[in-house]
Amino acid sequence: GAGVSQSPSNKVTEKGKDVELRCDPISGHTALYWYRQSLGQGLEFLIYFQGNSAPDKSGLPSDRFSAERTGGSVSTLTIQRTQQEDSAVYLCASSVRRQHNEQFFGPGTRLTVL
Amino acid sequence: GQQVMQIPQYQHVQEGEDFTTYCNSSTTLSNIQWYKQRPGGHPVFLIQLVKSGEVKKQKRLTFQFGEAKKNSSLHITATQTTDVGTYFCAGPLSNDYKLSFGAGTTVTVRA
């Protein structure tokens, strides 16, 4: 079956604009994660969705960041009034909620804020 | 809070040599996972260890989970250029399935 997909693969925007990043997880995966990875850095956790539970938003860096997951499937990460420091690769991952919860990552969206 | 730490941050290896990267947690983990991210790519799941003292091998890669389930190691023998990339360990936070990722060990290989 298909893996995790993300769109767009690249996004260039101007400072102050809003952007939306999309993630389509693997069908049947109830857990979905967003991470941010700056150049040469590790994975920075942003937000976690698990089924119908309230999302864990503890990693969102500011109130300019928000995310939704509709129907327990597709997720959208929105960044409002983008800043240059938001430039990074945004990775989405999904997993089956069980003890052995390996994550399957999408190819990421590379965001560049000019 | 619980964290997963990795050392070293960078590993420069001569082709053909062996090296080890280490992962340590402040608390006991139910399992430890390892991922590899090639340059320009996304993290890809390598393996998961669940049992205390567990050792698993994938060709030239040997993964070990400590007896106390607080540390893990990845040992690569006869390093090849295909081993280049960043290796992340990750463990679930207590009472949750959310993974805590280490900062990664970035491996470069000298031919």
Side-chain angles (χ1 to χ4, degrees), chain A residues 27-51:
Chain A
S27 177
H29 282 193
T30 58
L32 186 148
Y33 310 77
W34 283 98
Y35 297 92
R36 179 168 69 176
Q37 188 173 37
S38 300
L39 186 63
Q41 301 300 308
L43 299 171
E44 177 188 4
F45 166 78
L46 297 178
I47 189 168
Y48 163 57
F49 295 91
Q50 175 54 57

mmCIF file of all heavy atoms in Angstrom, chain A residues 27-51:
data_model
loop_
_atom_site.group_PDB
_atom_site.id
_atom_site.type_symbol
_atom_site.label_atom_id
_atom_site.label_comp_id
_atom_site.label_asym_id
_atom_site.label_seq_id
_atom_site.Cartn_x
_atom_site.Cartn_y
_atom_site.Cartn_z
ATOM 1 N N SER A 27 -3.213 4.440 5.600
ATOM 2 C CA SER A 27 -4.587 4.085 5.955
ATOM 3 C C SER A 27 -4.600 3.152 7.158
ATOM 4 O O SER A 27 -3.853 2.158 7.208
ATOM 5 C CB SER A 27 -5.265 3.402 4.763
ATOM 6 O OG SER A 27 -6.572 2.992 5.096
ATOM 7 N N GLY A 28 -5.437 3.486 8.124
ATOM 8 C CA GLY A 28 -5.554 2.649 9.307
ATOM 9 C C GLY A 28 -4.653 3.054 10.453
ATOM 10 O O GLY A 28 -4.804 2.559 11.582
ATOM 11 N N HIS A 29 -3.709 3.954 10.196
ATOM 12 C CA HIS A 29 -2.840 4.434 11.276
ATOM 13 C C HIS A 29 -3.568 5.496 12.084
ATOM 14 O O HIS A 29 -3.954 6.533 11.545
ATOM 15 C CB HIS A 29 -1.541 4.997 10.701
ATOM 16 C CG HIS A 29 -0.570 3.952 10.303
ATOM 17 N ND1 HIS A 29 0.756 4.232 10.012
ATOM 18 C CD2 HIS A 29 -0.710 2.618 10.157
ATOM 19 C CE1 HIS A 29 1.385 3.108 9.704
ATOM 20 N NE2 HIS A 29 0.513 2.117 9.781
ATOM 21 N N THR A 30 -3.726 5.232 13.371
ATOM 22 C CA THR A 30 -4.487 6.165 14.188
ATOM 23 C C THR A 30 -3.618 7.277 14.775
ATOM 24 O O THR A 30 -4.136 8.298 15.215
ATOM 25 C CB THR A 30 -5.186 5.420 15.338
ATOM 26 O OG1 THR A 30 -4.195 4.748 16.122
ATOM 27 C CG2 THR A 30 -6.175 4.399 14.793
ATOM 28 N N ALA A 31 -2.329 7.082 14.825
ATOM 29 C CA ALA A 31 -1.443 8.091 15.394
ATOM 30 C C ALA A 31 -0.759 8.868 14.272
ATOM 31 O O ALA A 31 -0.303 8.280 13.285
ATOM 32 C CB ALA A 31 -0.398 7.446 16.289
ATOM 33 N N LEU A 32 -0.697 10.176 14.439
ATOM 34 C CA LEU A 32 -0.054 11.041 13.435
ATOM 35 C C LEU A 32 0.768 12.093 14.159
ATOM 36 O O LEU A 32 0.338 12.663 15.160
ATOM 37 C CB LEU A 32 -1.118 11.698 12.549
ATOM 38 C CG LEU A 32 -0.625 12.521 11.355
ATOM 39 C CD1 LEU A 32 -1.629 12.438 10.201
ATOM 40 C CD2 LEU A 32 -0.351 13.952 11.704
ATOM 41 N N TYR A 33 1.967 12.315 13.641
ATOM 42 C CA TYR A 33 2.914 13.229 14.271
ATOM 43 C C TYR A 33 3.413 14.243 13.251
ATOM 44 O O TYR A 33 3.592 13.913 12.086
ATOM 45 C CB TYR A 33 4.142 12.465 14.773
ATOM 46 C CG TYR A 33 3.864 11.239 15.609
ATOM 47 C CD1 TYR A 33 3.465 10.048 15.013
ATOM 48 C CD2 TYR A 33 4.037 11.266 16.991
ATOM 49 C CE1 TYR A 33 3.232 8.913 15.769
ATOM 50 C CE2 TYR A 33 3.811 10.131 17.755
ATOM 51 C CZ TYR A 33 3.411 8.961 17.137
ATOM 52 O OH TYR A 33 3.176 7.839 17.902
ATOM 53 N N TRP A 34 3.667 15.434 13.729
ATOM 54 C CA TRP A 34 4.374 16.438 12.947
ATOM 55 C C TRP A 34 5.691 16.758 13.662
ATOM 56 O O TRP A 34 5.717 16.943 14.890
ATOM 57 C CB TRP A 34 3.564 17.730 12.806
ATOM 58 C CG TRP A 34 2.460 17.674 11.806
ATOM 59 C CD1 TRP A 34 1.129 17.442 12.036
ATOM 60 C CD2 TRP A 34 2.571 17.887 10.393
ATOM 61 N NE1 TRP A 34 0.413 17.489 10.871
ATOM 62 C CE2 TRP A 34 1.261 17.767 9.846
ATOM 63 C CE3 TRP A 34 3.632 18.189 9.539
ATOM 64 C CZ2 TRP A 34 1.013 17.933 8.476
ATOM 65 C CZ3 TRP A 34 3.366 18.352 8.188
ATOM 66 C CH2 TRP A 34 2.075 18.225 7.666
ATOM 67 N N TYR A 35 6.756 16.832 12.859
ATOM 68 C CA TYR A 35 8.070 17.211 13.351
ATOM 69 C C TYR A 35 8.622 18.321 12.470
ATOM 70 O O TYR A 35 8.236 18.473 11.313
ATOM 71 C CB TYR A 35 9.054 16.027 13.290
ATOM 72 C CG TYR A 35 8.701 14.837 14.140
ATOM 73 C CD1 TYR A 35 7.952 13.794 13.606
ATOM 74 C CD2 TYR A 35 9.132 14.732 15.458
ATOM 75 C CE1 TYR A 35 7.631 12.680 14.368
ATOM 76 C CE2 TYR A 35 8.820 13.623 16.232
ATOM 77 C CZ TYR A 35 8.071 12.603 15.671
ATOM 78 O OH TYR A 35 7.760 11.500 16.444
ATOM 79 N N ARG A 36 9.562 19.040 13.038
ATOM 80 C CA ARG A 36 10.285 20.039 12.258
ATOM 81 C C ARG A 36 11.764 19.700 12.336
ATOM 82 O O ARG A 36 12.281 19.351 13.418
ATOM 83 C CB ARG A 36 10.030 21.444 12.815
ATOM 84 C CG ARG A 36 10.755 22.547 12.079
ATOM 85 C CD ARG A 36 10.260 23.917 12.475
ATOM 86 N NE ARG A 36 10.611 24.289 13.838
ATOM 87 C CZ ARG A 36 10.351 25.481 14.369
ATOM 88 N NH1 ARG A 36 9.709 26.397 13.641
ATOM 89 N NH2 ARG A 36 10.693 25.761 15.606
ATOM 90 N N GLN A 37 12.436 19.812 11.212
ATOM 91 C CA GLN A 37 13.865 19.532 11.167
ATOM 92 C C GLN A 37 14.569 20.663 10.439
ATOM 93 O O GLN A 37 14.413 20.827 9.232
ATOM 94 C CB GLN A 37 14.147 18.191 10.478
ATOM 95 C CG GLN A 37 15.594 17.760 10.577
ATOM 96 C CD GLN A 37 15.809 16.353 10.045
ATOM 97 O OE1 GLN A 37 15.198 15.934 9.069
ATOM 98 N NE2 GLN A 37 16.684 15.595 10.701
ATOM 99 N N SER A 38 15.346 21.426 11.186
ATOM 100 C CA SER A 38 16.166 22.460 10.574
ATOM 101 C C SER A 38 17.414 21.818 10.002
ATOM 102 O O SER A 38 17.783 20.706 10.379
ATOM 103 C CB SER A 38 16.522 23.530 11.606
ATOM 104 O OG SER A 38 15.342 24.131 12.117
ATOM 105 N N LEU A 39 18.080 22.527 9.112
ATOM 106 C CA LEU A 39 19.213 21.974 8.385
ATOM 107 C C LEU A 39 20.258 21.413 9.340
ATOM 108 O O LEU A 39 20.763 22.109 10.213
ATOM 109 C CB LEU A 39 19.830 23.053 7.492
ATOM 110 C CG LEU A 39 20.946 22.597 6.561
ATOM 111 C CD1 LEU A 39 20.401 21.569 5.564
ATOM 112 C CD2 LEU A 39 21.567 23.770 5.827
ATOM 113 N N GLY A 40 20.564 20.132 9.170
ATOM 114 C CA GLY A 40 21.596 19.501 9.976
ATOM 115 C C GLY A 40 21.229 19.242 11.419
ATOM 116 O O GLY A 40 22.086 18.870 12.219
ATOM 117 N N GLN A 41 19.954 19.423 11.747
ATOM 118 C CA GLN A 41 19.519 19.248 13.135
ATOM 119 C C GLN A 41 18.672 17.986 13.304
ATOM 120 O O GLN A 41 18.357 17.297 12.340
ATOM 121 C CB GLN A 41 18.718 20.472 13.589
ATOM 122 C CG GLN A 41 19.482 21.782 13.514
ATOM 123 C CD GLN A 41 20.714 21.765 14.381
ATOM 124 O OE1 GLN A 41 20.656 21.448 15.573
ATOM 125 N NE2 GLN A 41 21.861 22.098 13.805
ATOM 126 N N GLY A 42 18.309 17.710 14.541
ATOM 127 C CA GLY A 42 17.477 16.558 14.842
ATOM 128 C C GLY A 42 16.012 16.841 14.611
ATOM 129 O O GLY A 42 15.643 17.836 13.985
ATOM 130 N N LEU A 43 15.183 15.951 15.106
ATOM 131 C CA LEU A 43 13.739 16.059 14.928
ATOM 132 C C LEU A 43 13.125 16.809 16.101
ATOM 133 O O LEU A 43 13.250 16.388 17.243
ATOM 134 C CB LEU A 43 13.119 14.668 14.830
ATOM 135 C CG LEU A 43 13.597 13.809 13.660
ATOM 136 C CD1 LEU A 43 13.082 12.397 13.799
ATOM 137 C CD2 LEU A 43 13.136 14.411 12.348
ATOM 138 N N GLU A 44 12.441 17.886 15.786
ATOM 139 C CA GLU A 44 11.764 18.672 16.813
ATOM 140 C C GLU A 44 10.285 18.332 16.781
ATOM 141 O O GLU A 44 9.594 18.610 15.797
ATOM 142 C CB GLU A 44 11.969 20.166 16.552
ATOM 143 C CG GLU A 44 11.235 21.077 17.532
ATOM 144 C CD GLU A 44 11.313 22.537 17.136
ATOM 145 O OE1 GLU A 44 11.872 22.855 16.067
ATOM 146 O OE2 GLU A 44 10.787 23.380 17.898
ATOM 147 N N PHE A 45 9.789 17.716 17.829
ATOM 148 C CA PHE A 45 8.388 17.341 17.910
ATOM 149 C C PHE A 45 7.506 18.579 17.931
ATOM 150 O O PHE A 45 7.784 19.538 18.659
ATOM 151 C CB PHE A 45 8.152 16.511 19.168
ATOM 152 C CG PHE A 45 6.704 16.352 19.532
ATOM 153 C CD1 PHE A 45 5.913 15.448 18.854
ATOM 154 C CD2 PHE A 45 6.139 17.118 20.541
ATOM 155 C CE1 PHE A 45 4.580 15.303 19.182
ATOM 156 C CE2 PHE A 45 4.811 16.982 20.870
ATOM 157 C CZ PHE A 45 4.016 16.069 20.192
ATOM 158 N N LEU A 46 6.434 18.548 17.146
ATOM 159 C CA LEU A 46 5.497 19.672 17.107
ATOM 160 C C LEU A 46 4.157 19.312 17.725
ATOM 161 O O LEU A 46 3.692 19.957 18.663
ATOM 162 C CB LEU A 46 5.289 20.148 15.675
ATOM 163 C CG LEU A 46 6.509 20.708 14.954
ATOM 164 C CD1 LEU A 46 6.155 21.084 13.524
ATOM 165 C CD2 LEU A 46 7.067 21.919 15.697
ATOM 166 N N ILE A 47 3.518 18.272 17.179
ATOM 167 C CA ILE A 47 2.170 17.933 17.621
ATOM 168 C C ILE A 47 1.887 16.464 17.340
ATOM 169 O O ILE A 47 2.480 15.880 16.431
ATOM 170 C CB ILE A 47 1.120 18.837 16.928
ATOM 171 C CG1 ILE A 47 -0.285 18.654 17.545
ATOM 172 C CG2 ILE A 47 1.085 18.593 15.426
ATOM 173 C CD1 ILE A 47 -1.286 19.728 17.090
ATOM 174 N N TYR A 48 0.995 15.889 18.132
ATOM 175 C CA TYR A 48 0.695 14.454 18.060
ATOM 176 C C TYR A 48 -0.810 14.269 18.140
ATOM 177 O O TYR A 48 -1.453 14.792 19.039
ATOM 178 C CB TYR A 48 1.401 13.768 19.218
ATOM 179 C CG TYR A 48 0.941 12.386 19.602
ATOM 180 C CD1 TYR A 48 0.938 11.340 18.686
ATOM 181 C CD2 TYR A 48 0.563 12.108 20.919
ATOM 182 C CE1 TYR A 48 0.555 10.068 19.062
ATOM 183 C CE2 TYR A 48 0.173 10.834 21.304
ATOM 184 C CZ TYR A 48 0.168 9.816 20.379
ATOM 185 O OH TYR A 48 -0.203 8.560 20.757
ATOM 186 N N PHE A 49 -1.353 13.528 17.184
ATOM 187 C CA PHE A 49 -2.764 13.160 17.173
ATOM 188 C C PHE A 49 -2.880 11.661 17.417
ATOM 189 O O PHE A 49 -2.148 10.871 16.821
ATOM 190 C CB PHE A 49 -3.406 13.477 15.811
ATOM 191 C CG PHE A 49 -3.459 14.931 15.470
ATOM 192 C CD1 PHE A 49 -2.425 15.536 14.771
ATOM 193 C CD2 PHE A 49 -4.554 15.698 15.827
ATOM 194 C CE1 PHE A 49 -2.481 16.879 14.427
ATOM 195 C CE2 PHE A 49 -4.619 17.044 15.488
ATOM 196 C CZ PHE A 49 -3.576 17.634 14.796
ATOM 197 N N GLN A 50 -3.810 11.286 18.261
ATOM 198 C CA GLN A 50 -4.065 9.866 18.509
ATOM 199 C C GLN A 50 -5.559 9.653 18.507
ATOM 200 O O GLN A 50 -6.249 10.048 19.450
ATOM 201 C CB GLN A 50 -3.449 9.417 19.827
ATOM 202 C CG GLN A 50 -3.782 7.977 20.207
ATOM 203 C CD GLN A 50 -3.438 6.985 19.135
ATOM 204 O OE1 GLN A 50 -2.285 6.887 18.696
ATOM 205 N NE2 GLN A 50 -4.427 6.229 18.669
ATOM 206 N N GLY A 51 -6.069 9.024 17.457
ATOM 207 C CA GLY A 51 -7.483 8.716 17.381
ATOM 208 C C GLY A 51 -8.338 9.953 17.590
ATOM 209 O O GLY A 51 -8.108 11.001 17.005
#
